[in-house]
Structures are given as structure tokens and as C-alpha cells.
Amino acid sequence: MSQSKPAAPRRFAKTPAKRRVPLSLTLKKVVSAWQLYVLLVPAIAYVVIFKYWPMYGVQIAFRNYNPADGFTGSPWVGLQHFIRFVNSYQFTQVLENTVWIAVLGLLIAFPVPIILALLVNGLQSEKFKKFTQTVLYSPAFISTVVVVGMMFVLLSPRSGLINNAIQLTGGEPIFFMGSPDWFRPIYLISDIWQTAGFSMIVYLAALAGIDPALHDAAKVDGATKLQRMRHIDLPGIMPMVTVLFILAIGNLLNVGFEKALLMQTPLNLANSEIIQTYVYHAGLQQAQFSYSAAIGLFNSILNLVLLLIFNRVARRANQATLW
């Protein structure tokens, strides 16, 4: 009985190595499209001047900064200001207030634009859809100072519309802007009202890129509007949702400084003092430049760590990531 010959080893074609583009060819391409690179100059200059160059001043967080001595002339103290902030009696209160507002905003305010975009996208009348979009994103053009002024007027314990309605129903007027317990709900509700409509535009743009044939096929199969939102629209915008969620995580502890400072009163200071307002009080009002710089750097490092962690988690889950 003849023995079969062993099969010859299979040879795989080698992947051709990437060719290095000669420098001269690259320069020729740059020169041929020099107008496009000229357009990049203002953007690059802006990033370098206002984003990277100020990082040179971060060193004052590790020095006892004195304007007369300058950055390099001020004495080096290392982590002294960071240790002082962590050991201060306000550290727990300030960090807790910041985290509470940030987490509530992420859990409650972040999904609102997605829901609004899905609802507005499902409207049949184009005129009504445009009218709804205009109404929803118009509050974003109102100044934060004006918004807070409106809140003080509407929530006034004597002449405010809200307290008048409470008194008509037999209740007692509430001093909303002076109560620590009401600071977070008011901040969150006003933030949703002011920013949710504008953030909705990004998701509407993503929904516009979904193939209409998918909806037509789903209609033929008898899918309801809610089912089409769940199985077509939501998966279609999920990469955009993931990327924006990661960016929101990276900006988690950067709670809105202007609104918090404007809403802050001596009566609600227990819940309204966040990292940003604490830096303002310590750095500008008390001229503790190095101490406030250390607190700001501490906040930025926490945001960077959160960004790296959640970007890695999204990559492990095979979702869209920043890099």
C-alpha cells in the first residue's frame, strides 16, 4: 500500500513592507498645496500660544511664587501646596460638592440631548421639527449671567413666580437660592435647560447620516416607531455617544465656574463651594497664586486619569474611542 507524501508546507505571501516616502517628495506635496497649510497657521498658533505656552507657568504650583522673583526665581517647595490642600479642612467639602454636581450632571443631563434628538428626529412635519429645534437650542444663546438673574427673580421668596404658585396652593415660600439643599437641583435643572438643546444638534447630525433604507425595511417588517428608534437610530449614533461620553468623563470635574459663582451665596456655601470657585477665592481674592495653581493642576490630573481609564475601557469593549 503506497504511502501518501506529506503535504508541502504552505507558504504565506509576505506582507510588503511600507515604503518610506522620500523627504523631497513630501516637501513637493507641501509646496504644491501651500495655501492649505497657510490656513492651518492661525489654528496652530492659537493652540501653541493659548494651550501649550501657558503650561510653562504650571511650575508655580511647585514653588512659592513671587511676581517680583518670577517663575524661575521663586523658591522650589515641591509638593507642599498639594499636601496643604489635601490636609485642609475644606478639601473633603470642596471635592464632595464638585463630584456630586459632576456625577449628577453626567447621569441625568448627559442622556437628555440624546432623548431630545431621538424625539425630534421622529417628528413627521418638517416645519414643526425646525420650530422645535429652534425653541430647544435658543436658551444656549442666553448669557449665564442673565440665566442666573432670571433664576433669582423667578425663585424670589417674596415676588418670585414659583413661590407665588406655592403660596396659592397653601404652601410656605421657600428661599431656594439661600438653601444649600436646593443648590444642586437648581444648578442641574438650569444647566439642562440651557445646554441640552444645543448638544442635541450633534446627535441630530449623526441621525441624519443613518441610511433611510433601514427605516423603510423596518416599516415593511411592521416595526413601530419606538422599535425603529431602539434598533436603528440608537445603534447608529452609538459611536458618537461613546466619544462624547468619554470627552464628558475627561471634563467631569470641570464644573461650570461662572454659574456656580453667580449662584453662590453665604447661605448655600456648604454645597456651592466647588474646586473652581475655591481656586478663584484662594488665587485671586487672597493672592495665593501657587496654592491655587496646585489645586487647579490637581483637578486637571484627576480629569486626565479619568479620561485615560474610560478610553481604555471603551477600547476593551470594542466601542469608539478617542485614540
Side-chain angles (χ1 to χ4, degrees):
M1 187 174 180
S2 61
Q3 295 181 351
S4 59
K5 293 182 180 181
R10 190 175 179 182
R11 295 180 179 179
F12 295 93
K14 292 183 178 180
T15 304
K18 289 185 177 180
R19 286 172 149 190
R20 292 189 62 183
V21 180
L23 182 60
S24 59
L25 182 58
T26 304
L27 292 176
K28 285 182 180 179
K29 290 182 178 180
V30 172
V31 172
S32 63
W34 65 271
Q35 297 92 339
L36 299 177
Y37 290 94
V38 169
L39 293 175
L40 286 175
V41 170
I44 295 174
Y46 170 80
V47 172
V48 171
I49 295 173
F50 294 101
K51 301 297 181 180
Y52 285 96
W53 177 249
M55 293 176 68
Y56 173 75
V58 171
Q59 61 179 299
I60 71 174
F62 306 94
R63 298 178 181 271
N64 274 332
Y65 176 67
N66 184 1
D69 298 328
F71 290 154
T72 56
S74 301
W76 183 270
V77 295
L79 301 176
Q80 176 181 328
H81 299 298
F82 296 91
I83 297 173
R84 174 189 168 191
F85 174 59
V86 173
N87 292 333
S88 65
Y89 72 94
Q90 291 177 307
F91 173 76
T92 303
Q93 176 189 1
V94 169
L95 187 62
E96 182 181 350
N97 292 339
T98 307
V99 171
W100 262 108
I101 295 175
V103 172
L104 287 176
L106 190 66
L107 295 178
I108 299 175
F110 184 81
V112 173
I114 303 173
I115 297 171
L116 290 177
L118 293 173
L119 294 176
V120 171
N121 187 66
L123 296 176
Q124 298 297 328
S125 174
E126 288 297 327
K127 290 184 178 180
F128 185 64
K129 182 186 293 187
K130 292 180 180 179
F131 172 77
T132 306
Q133 292 179 28
T134 304
V135 171
L136 288 175
Y137 72 67
S138 57
F141 299 99
I142 303 176
S143 171
T144 304
V145 178
V146 176
V147 171
V148 176
M150 292 167 57
M151 288 192 292
F152 270 99
V153 172
L154 292 173
L155 301 175
S156 172
R158 294 184 178 179
S159 58
L161 181 64
I162 305 299
N163 274 304
N164 287 338
I166 293 175
Q167 288 178 334
L168 288 175
T169 57
E172 293 293 329
I174 303 172
F175 191 11
F176 290 100
M177 304 304 292
S179 173
D181 296 332
W182 279 101
F183 177 81
R184 292 168 187 164
I186 293 173
Y187 183 97
L188 187 61
I189 293 171
S190 63
D191 193 61
I192 292 174
W193 175 78
Q194 189 176 13
T195 62
F198 193 81
S199 302
M200 173 192 69
I201 300 175
V202 179
Y203 299 108
L204 284 175
L207 288 169
I210 297 176
D211 190 357
L214 296 174
H215 285 278
D216 295 336
K219 288 179 183 178
V220 172
D221 291 338
T224 63
K225 185 176 293 186
L226 186 60
Q227 289 174 331
R228 284 187 280 120
M229 284 184 185
R230 178 182 175 185
H231 297 288
I232 298 176
D233 291 336
L234 196 56
I237 64 173
M238 191 52 64
M240 177 69 69
V241 173
T242 305
V243 170
L244 292 179
F245 182 79
I246 295 173
L247 290 175
I249 289 292
N251 204 38
L252 182 65
L253 298 180
N254 289 338
V255 180
F257 161 74
E258 293 181 2
K259 183 177 290 185
L261 183 64
L262 293 170
M263 291 177 59
Q264 197 173 86
T265 64
L267 297 177
N268 63 18
L269 202 61
N271 285 349
S272 64
E273 186 76 310
I274 58 176
I275 291 178
Q276 287 71 27
T277 58
Y278 185 65
V279 168
Y280 167 75
H281 293 144
L284 293 181
Q285 293 186 340
Q286 301 174 16
Q288 302 181 56
F289 303 114
S290 295
Y291 181 57
S292 60
I295 299 172
L297 183 59
F298 172 80
N299 184 58
S300 300
I301 291 173
L302 287 182
N303 283 328
L304 178 61
V305 171
L306 290 173
L307 177 66
L308 294 175
I309 291 174
F310 277 85
N311 191 75
R312 188 175 183 84
V313 170
R315 191 189 304 119
R316 290 276 183 94
N318 294 324
Q319 297 294 328
T321 58
L322 297 179
W323 62 83

